[in-house]
Amino acid sequence: MSQPAARLPLWVDFGLIPLLNLVAAFAVAGLVVALIGENPLDVARIILYGAFGYGEGVGFTLFYATNFIFTGLAVAVAFHAGLFNIGGEGQAYIGGLGVALVALGLDPYLPWWLLAPLAVIGAALFGALWAWIPAVLQAKRGSHIVITTIMFNFIAASLMAWLLVDVLNPGAGSMSPGTRFFDAEAVPPRLSEILAPFGVDLGGSPANLALVAAVLAALGVWLLLWRTRLGYEIRALGHNSSAAAYAGVPIARVIIIAMLISGALAGMMALNPVLGDQGRLLLEFPGGAGFVGIAVALMGRSHPLGVIFAALLFGMLYQGGSELAFEKPSISRDMLILIQGLVILFSGALENLFRPALARIFAPRAA
Amino acid sequence: MDWLTFLNVLDSAVRLSTPLLLACLAGLFTERAGVVDIGLEGKMIAGAFAAGAVAVFTGSAWIALLAAIGASVFFGLVHAFACVTQRGNQIVSGVAINFIALGLAAVLGHSWFEQGGKTPAPPVSGRFTSIDLPYAAEAAQMGPVGRFYADVVSGHNILVYFAFLAPFLAWWLLSRTRFGLRLRAVGENPAAVDTAGVSVARLRYSGQIICGALCGVAGAYLAIGLNAGYLNNMTAGRGYIALAALIFAKWRPVPALFVCLLFGFLDASANRLQGVSLPSVGVVPVQFIQALPYILTVILLAGFIGKAVPPKAGGVPYVKER
């Protein structure tokens, strides 16, 4: 990605350009909606109402956003190190195994507030483990991390399918492949229960304490990247790996650590659906959240605050999209996948599409 | 496993390796030109959906094939625009195309055919049906080799034969023509090609167009050759296996043929080995065999079986010296 010569004012660079990219993505999506004979404005209204119009909708939006904050942060941390971690999906899946093993092993003994921190550790540990092998292969043997993490997504899917169908499946009485339910005492309360005394009505939405963990994780990532030596090394590596090497940054070690953090964040995404919502580990529970993380990180420009906003936007699209599927049966839920792809295209690969034109308008004239 | 069962597995291996082979060669043309493409999956989906839909509308397999190529080439041009003209991140663009194609096919299919995203089965004229090679019936009576001819070599549709011819064509094009030499050069050292007065951008666009065309054929094969109609996400990760095969074949066309056959064979035997107990190993979980291509690729990438060296300029946008 070559830097254009002209420097733009900050608000253009970090405000106007991302906004224009987003508008372009939604304009194309709107075009497709119009093409199949629906009114894009109608669709936008339904999505907005579905996501924010009533308590339960807001709860669902927050629930989906929780997943995307975790996976978005995972991709963002790797981006800062100049690495593209496409393996968030697999790392989240294996992270779910970590959560489930902690919960299945300890749920007869521990109340939720003791079990949840252990589950966090389990999720992070297993997610990091799944990122560790691609990280080592990249750092020590130069195997391209994009390809290895893609392969590890598929390996994770096969491994988990085997575990959930043949090994951890309690057998009779369970309709879908998965583990048994965790003990009800081991499952943390939902936000709707916690906030009900304060007059906040989130209906039957599954948003839970994992949202708090996600926001804390975002804060932690910010502190790590901009307030610690390791964060500085990670960013130096991402900006210019040979300069970083000359400056004495241990490249291989920083690659591995950055990927471990990235994998741990992706793994922690599992807390939200597995421990917080379903109370059991189900086949294919990540449902593409790992990939949404790519769009979220690109849109949020890899900044934790940007990631939170982008995750909320995608949470809104997911919840509003479900509403849309009820109201407009002619529009498939897969519209979300299309929008996600368009956001990745315009905010990622085509991020400089509008830059030359804006540079002509805003760049200070050369003296 | 007796001879007939083995031939049966080989037969399905040929069928299953066809889309891999086409997609793998597609990836080869663009990566040898220095544009990394993880959007093979999306291009195949675009091709498969276009083929499925157009076959239903027109009832002609050949028009459907053209539509598949057109749709897939369109995404190739999007990728080329993002990667070559805009000098964007090639991986990001590939990921985007995978999602856009998957989402678009589902949305359009859902709205046009109202069958939850799949297309209805096209009429027989809208499909590529199997061709019996000369003397197949006679050969079947003539011992094991004849059976091999009748069961494995004969009885596929035209796209399969094209796919198995394609690696040799690709080899010829890449190593025996001027265009091929330039295409490979632009993947190794674009500056040298530029200095010689040949357009880097045009070559890289050509690579993407060939890539799109081959992915289109692969998609058409899935939708109107192997199956009857488009199913949601019917490529099922084949674009990524093709990428793995490309690495395994070390970016060379003829080895790609054998690697794709091997991966196709693994796929075919995974179906066959479900619950079967193997001597001295016991029952192998079918998921393990399904994961084997990915595991093998990781081991290869780690440098434990030979070394896979990608084209040198792969993934790097070319900026003219100013």
Side-chain angles (χ1 to χ4, degrees):
Chain A
M1 279 168 273
S2 65
Q3 279 295 318
R7 261 188 118 57
L8 293 175
L10 274 183
W11 70 271
V12 174
D13 217 355
F14 290 93
L16 190 58
I17 287 186
L19 190 71
L20 279 179
N21 291 336
L22 201 61
V23 168
F26 280 103
V28 176
L31 214 63
V32 173
V33 170
L35 191 72
I36 59 176
E38 295 287 348
N39 182 349
L41 292 178
D42 253 13
V43 168
R45 193 185 49 77
I46 295 171
I47 289 182
L48 277 174
Y49 177 77
F52 296 119
Y54 57 103
E56 191 167 86
V58 174
F60 268 100
T61 299
L62 292 175
F63 171 73
Y64 291 122
T66 308
N67 290 345
F68 304 150
I69 294 175
F70 278 123
T71 56
L73 288 173
V75 178
V77 168
F79 269 154
H80 276 288
L83 302 164
F84 197 158
N85 177 13
I86 304 195
E89 187 79 1
Q91 289 144 17
Y93 210 170
I94 299 292
L97 182 62
V99 173
L101 290 181
V102 168
L104 291 173
L106 297 174
D107 67 349
Y109 316 111
L110 298 182
W112 70 267
W113 49 273
L114 275 176
L115 194 131
L118 294 175
V120 171
I121 295 172
L125 205 66
F126 273 58
L129 177 81
W130 207 245
W132 177 66
I133 304 172
V136 170
L137 291 179
Q138 168 79 56
K140 308 267 178 182
R141 306 194 73 104
S143 327
H144 205 301
I145 200 141
V146 169
I147 307 287
T148 44
T149 48
I150 290 176
M151 299 298 136
F152 266 68
N153 281 341
F154 286 103
I155 300 172
S158 290
L159 176 69
M160 294 295 284
W162 174 64
L163 284 174
L164 290 176
V165 173
D166 291 343
V167 183
L168 294 171
N169 198 338
S174 102
M175 294 295 286
S176 45
T179 64
R180 69 169 170 85
F181 281 99
F182 309 144
D183 193 290
E185 297 294 307
V187 174
R190 292 181 166 184
L191 288 186
S192 54
E193 296 164 34
I194 298 171
L195 296 179
F198 303 98
V200 180
D201 176 24
L202 294 180
S205 67
N208 56 75
L209 287 176
L211 176 64
V212 180
V215 174
L216 288 178
L219 185 67
V221 166
W222 180 78
L223 283 173
L224 168 84
L225 286 174
W226 281 281
R227 288 293 178 271
T228 67
R229 184 196 168 107
L230 174 66
Y232 177 78
E233 289 179 337
I234 289 177
R235 286 182 299 124
L237 171 69
H239 275 292
N240 187 335
S241 61
S242 31
Y246 277 113
V249 173
I251 300 289
R253 215 179 70 193
V254 175
I255 288 179
I256 295 174
I257 293 176
M259 275 304 287
L260 288 177
I261 296 170
S262 175
L265 286 164
M268 280 158 70
M269 168 259 163
L271 293 166
N272 190 39
V274 176
L275 191 64
D277 177 24
Q278 289 138 1
R280 60 189 287 223
L281 183 62
L282 282 171
L283 198 64
E284 287 170 7
F285 77 86
F291 296 116
V292 179
I294 300 169
V296 166
L298 286 169
M299 221 183 96
R301 304 209 118 205
S302 297
H303 190 285
L305 199 60
V307 165
I308 290 180
F309 279 119
L312 271 174
L313 181 94
F314 271 94
M316 174 199 98
L317 286 174
Y318 266 65
Q319 162 55 15
S322 317
E323 204 85 353
L324 188 64
F326 282 116
E327 297 240 348
K328 299 245 181 218
S330 65
I331 300 181
S332 156
R333 225 188 109 78
D334 293 298
M335 189 78 203
L336 294 173
I337 296 179
L338 175 65
I339 295 177
Q340 184 184 327
L342 289 168
V343 168
I344 296 177
L345 185 70
F346 283 98
S347 308
L350 296 177
E351 62 177 343
N352 293 329
L353 192 61
F354 301 109
R355 192 179 285 272
L358 290 173
R360 248 171 274 137
I361 303 172
F362 291 108
R365 296 268 174 270
Chain B
M1 210 191 295
D2 62 276
W3 182 242
L4 270 185
T5 325
F6 180 69
L7 286 184
N8 223 321
V9 174
L10 268 191
D11 182 50
S12 34
V14 168
R15 284 167 208 276
L16 292 171
S17 52
T18 297
L20 292 182
L21 185 51
L22 290 165
C24 181
L25 292 172
L28 190 137
F29 273 101
T30 172
E31 300 219 344
R32 286 308 282 265
V35 179
V36 171
D37 193 354
I38 64 170
L40 299 175
E41 177 91 357
K43 292 199 187 92
M44 273 206 285
I45 287 190
F49 176 72
V54 172
V56 172
F57 289 140
T58 66
S60 158
W62 290 100
I63 298 178
L65 177 67
L66 280 183
I69 292 175
S72 179
V73 166
F74 168 75
F75 280 106
L77 291 175
V78 171
H79 190 59
F81 176 71
C83 301
V84 181
T85 309
Q86 289 285 318
R87 298 199 284 270
N89 185 316
Q90 305 181 355
I91 308 279
V92 173
S93 170
V95 171
I97 283 169
N98 285 340
F99 286 123
I100 293 174
L102 181 63
L104 195 60
V107 169
L108 294 180
H110 183 88
S111 142
W112 290 347
F113 303 108
E114 296 176 345
Q115 296 190 3
K118 69 180 176 107
T119 64
V124 178
S125 64
R127 301 213 296 264
F128 288 101
T129 45
S130 53
I131 301 167
D132 285 316
L133 293 185
Y135 307 114
E138 289 84 344
Q141 314 299 325
M142 294 184 342
V145 180
R147 268 262 57 128
F148 177 82
Y149 177 74
D151 286 1
V152 180
V153 181
S154 173
H156 298 289
N157 65 47
I158 184 103
L159 298 182
V160 176
Y161 296 112
F162 168 72
F164 279 82
L165 204 62
F168 302 100
L169 290 174
W171 170 83
W172 177 80
L173 190 61
L174 282 172
S175 42
R176 288 291 178 274
T177 67
R178 175 182 298 195
F179 169 76
L181 176 71
R182 286 177 174 173
L183 197 76
R184 283 182 294 135
V186 90
E188 298 291 335
N189 190 344
V193 176
D194 198 19
T195 315
V198 179
S199 163
V200 173
R202 181 179 295 184
L203 279 166
R204 289 190 165 169
Y205 267 87
S206 320
Q208 266 300 314
I209 290 171
I210 300 176
C211 166
L214 286 168
C215 282
V217 180
Y221 172 75
L222 286 174
I224 56 174
L226 194 60
N227 301 283
Y230 173 81
L231 301 168
N232 201 4
N233 200 12
M234 78 185 308
T235 51
R238 284 192 179 87
Y240 298 108
I241 302 199
L243 218 54
L246 180 61
I247 297 164
F248 229 90
K250 300 179 182 169
W251 290 269
R252 288 170 304 166
V254 178
L257 172 67
F258 296 104
V259 174
C260 290
L261 263 177
L262 170 73
F263 286 2
F265 182 76
L266 284 175
D267 198 3
S269 40
N271 301 331
R272 196 60 65 153
L273 286 176
Q274 191 139 24
V276 176
S277 184
L278 293 180
S280 80
V281 192
V283 177
V284 179
V286 61
Q287 291 92 356
F288 176 75
I289 302 170
Q290 281 161 351
L292 209 52
Y294 307 112
I295 296 172
L296 286 174
T297 305
V298 171
I299 296 173
L300 174 88
L301 276 171
F304 294 120
I305 338 171
K307 191 146 177 63
V309 184
K312 212 185 214 156
V316 190
Y318 177 65
V319 187
K320 247 186 204 303
E321 210 170 330
R322 293 202 181 89

